[in-house]
Amino acid sequence: MRALLSTSIGVTCAAALTLPLAAPAPALPAPAPVAHAPAAPAAEPLGSTQSLPLRPLGDGASRAAGEPTDSASPSPGGQGLRQLASHRFSLVGVVWDDADTELHGTVQVRTRAAGTGRWSAWQDLETHNTDHSADTGSAERESGTVRGSTAPLWVGDSDGVDVRVHGEAGGPRTGAGDTAALPAGLRVELVDPGDDPQQPPAAGATTAATPAVATPSTGITAPVASPQAGALPDSAALAVAAAESSAVNADLAPLGATEISALSKAESEEQAVVAAGAKPYVGPRPRIVTRKGWGADESLRERAFAYTSTVKAAFIHHSATGNNYTCSQAPSVLRSIYRYHVKSSGWRDFGYNFAVDKCGNIYEGRAGGVSKAVLGAHTLGFNTNSMGIAVLGTYSSKNPPAAAVTAIAKLTAWKLGLFGRNPKGKVTLVSGGSGKYKKGAKVKLHVIAGHRDGFATECPGSRLYKKLGTARKSSATLQGR
């Protein structure tokens, strides 16, 4: 792949990329080009990310074969990119250098299906994605790796992309024209989720003994580092990271388990740690697909786990990745979002604590233990003492499936019950600073809240937000309240 030089950002930019399938390899490999060719990165266990800069697009640029005729055309001060590559991808997003800079404008993409060569219609990317991130001043936010980003979009198996970005009319300006200046360092991210994980071993297969892990309590502090393996080969380090990710659930499932099985209400209450003499209001534990189950590459995330002191509230989100996925593709969607959060956006791990697909399957999100108070990056200003649940899809104008709403109720009945929370109640949280509440403000919120309750955002989509009342009632009923 040819290296491309970054240039200054104008007020409009467009990119057109076609990514044809690689031809079969010859008996002897052809010499690789040397001029401006960056060294290939080391192969990663699962998936890949192509990060391609947007740049000015000249009037005389020729179209690549198969590119749609109505691609964003060059314009004065416009930007674009034409790049040939061989890697397919299934998820698209746009990132930029400064996480504190908003993109005031629109980002649209269209993609070419790898199987048919057909181009999709133009689709919008959600540009206001800062509200899904670590809190200002936190170690994760101040790591120096975090970038500004749009929400990613799941597009399925694709080999071509066309991107156009326009500054908002009347937005913040730099004196050039009547449209907003775009952030510096705009890049399009093309994410390949890699292959699905291998099937688990047959029942009865021997597994290694697992270290004992304490049951959750409300006194965990952040951050807590996991053991360091020292200088190990990549494969060994990956094995250690995977074992650590699984071991934090060792009180719930064997090491290496692909799922945590469902329990009855009585069994769940028996396992729960509650104050002496208090009645446990813990819902039945639902089936949860583990990170191993959906194929998380544990070498991507930071090795240390970070915790908060308790879980007072659950914030419900939609992933805004679109609804064009099947439930069998949900693990691939999760691996793509995970890679986009870590490799493209610069976060320490998958942002949400849990995810739910349109069929109601529940997935472990950020590593650290599903029964523990893991510190996420999902609701800017309110990540402390909360958890984030993302329903895969976009529910601004489309109703969420009943199975997904039911899954929210089941998950919150169990997880909030472990920390003594009433799903129909309210709780006071202290803002860490957001677009809606200043830092230090004490805010009274529903125990099961929508993302928009803590930040000025459309998330979790108006249609899903309207279903939260139903989820609260069902969750409380499952707890026996």
Side-chain angles (χ1 to χ4, degrees):
M1 184 183 298
R2 294 176 182 172
L4 297 172
L5 296 178
S6 298
T7 59
S8 60
I9 303 299
V11 296
T12 304
C13 79
L17 297 85
T18 51
L19 310 176
L21 297 177
L28 292 175
V34 253
H36 308 293
E44 292 175 328
L46 290 173
S48 64
T49 301
Q50 301 169 77
S51 182
L52 308 172
L54 306 185
R55 59 181 176 81
L57 183 63
D59 291 332
S62 60
R63 290 192 178 280
E67 186 182 336
T69 56
D70 59 340
S71 298
S73 58
S75 59
Q79 288 193 23
L81 170 68
R82 190 158 291 121
Q83 173 76 32
L84 298 179
S86 61
H87 297 296
R88 292 184 179 185
F89 61 94
S90 295
L91 181 136
V92 181
V94 170
V95 301
W96 54 92
D97 293 341
D98 187 358
D100 294 323
T101 299
E102 288 277 357
L103 195 163
H104 296 279
T106 59
V107 179
Q108 295 180 307
V109 300
R110 59 181 297 174
T111 53
R112 187 177 71 183
T116 65
R118 294 176 182 171
W119 287 88
S120 70
W122 286 104
Q123 302 182 79
D124 292 319
L125 299 187
E126 173 56 59
T127 58
H128 301 293
N129 196 47
T130 307
D131 47 319
H132 299 77
S133 63
D135 290 342
T136 302
S138 66
E140 181 170 4
R141 180 75 177 206
E142 305 303 322
S143 65
T145 64
V146 179
R147 304 176 191 90
S149 62
T150 68
L153 179 69
W154 174 260
V155 294
D157 190 14
S158 303
D159 61 6
V161 65
D162 198 6
V163 185
R164 60 188 184 191
V165 182
H166 296 284
E168 180 181 55
R173 305 173 185 133
T174 58
D178 295 325
T179 55
L182 297 174
L186 285 167
R187 305 179 73 88
V188 60
E189 305 286 298
L190 308 177
V191 181
D192 169 22
D195 296 330
D196 285 328
Q198 295 180 351
Q199 294 296 316
T206 303
T207 58
T210 61
V213 177
T215 52
S217 70
T218 57
I220 306 174
T221 57
V224 177
S226 55
Q228 297 299 309
L232 293 173
D234 289 345
S235 58
L238 175 60
V240 171
E244 291 169 348
S245 179
S246 182
V248 288
N249 290 317
D251 51 340
L252 308 179
L255 184 70
T258 57
E259 66 177 57
I260 296 168
S261 61
L263 294 181
S264 68
K265 188 175 190 304
E267 291 170 327
S268 299
E269 290 178 343
E270 184 179 353
Q271 283 196 354
V273 177
V274 296
K279 180 179 178 179
Y281 287 99
V282 181
R285 187 179 76 197
R287 171 182 172 271
I288 302 173
V289 178
T290 65
R291 289 170 62 93
K292 182 176 178 61
W294 56 262
D297 179 355
E298 300 295 351
S299 70
L300 299 182
R301 65 170 174 84
E302 287 191 18
R303 285 283 298 279
F305 303 131
Y307 298 94
T308 185
S309 60
T310 186
V311 177
K312 293 183 177 181
F315 285 98
I316 310 303
H317 305 255
H318 66 174
S319 63
T321 48
N323 302 312
N324 189 28
Y325 74 94
T326 64
C327 293
S328 63
Q329 291 175 320
S332 294
V333 176
L334 288 170
R335 292 196 302 276
S336 298
I337 296 173
Y338 171 42
R339 179 172 279 276
Y340 185 76
H341 282 178
V342 177
K343 301 290 282 186
S344 301
S345 302
W347 300 359
R348 62 178 294 127
D349 192 356
F350 190 82
Y352 307 104
N353 299 99
F354 296 93
V356 172
D357 69 22
K358 61 176 68 175
C359 291
N361 296 304
I362 300 170
Y363 302 87
E364 177 184 16
R366 180 163 287 207
V370 297
S371 64
K372 299 172 175 57
V374 178
L375 180 66
H378 49 82
T379 307
L380 181 65
F382 294 99
N383 290 305
T384 299
N385 296 337
S386 72
M387 68 176 183
I389 303 171
V391 180
L392 299 181
T394 304
Y395 300 104
S396 303
S397 58
K398 182 179 176 62
N399 287 327
V405 178
T406 299
I408 292 172
K410 289 180 178 180
L411 177 57
T412 54
W414 172 69
K415 182 65 181 277
L416 292 173
L418 296 178
F419 293 88
R421 310 302 173 192
N422 183 348
K424 292 193 297 185
K426 291 192 174 183
V427 66
T428 299
L429 298 177
V430 178
S431 172
S434 72
K436 192 170 184 177
Y437 298 103
K438 66 180 181 179
K439 185 175 183 178
K442 294 182 178 180
V443 185
K444 194 169 187 178
L445 299 168
H446 287 286
V447 168
I448 298 179
H451 185 187
R452 63 174 62 181
D453 294 324
F455 196 96
T457 176
E458 198 271 339
C459 183
S462 58
R463 297 294 185 92
L464 177 54
Y465 188 75
K466 290 178 181 178
K467 298 292 184 181
L468 296 189
T470 299
R472 293 181 191 110
K473 292 177 183 178
S474 298
S475 182
T477 298
L478 289 169
Q479 283 190 351
R481 295 183 187 271

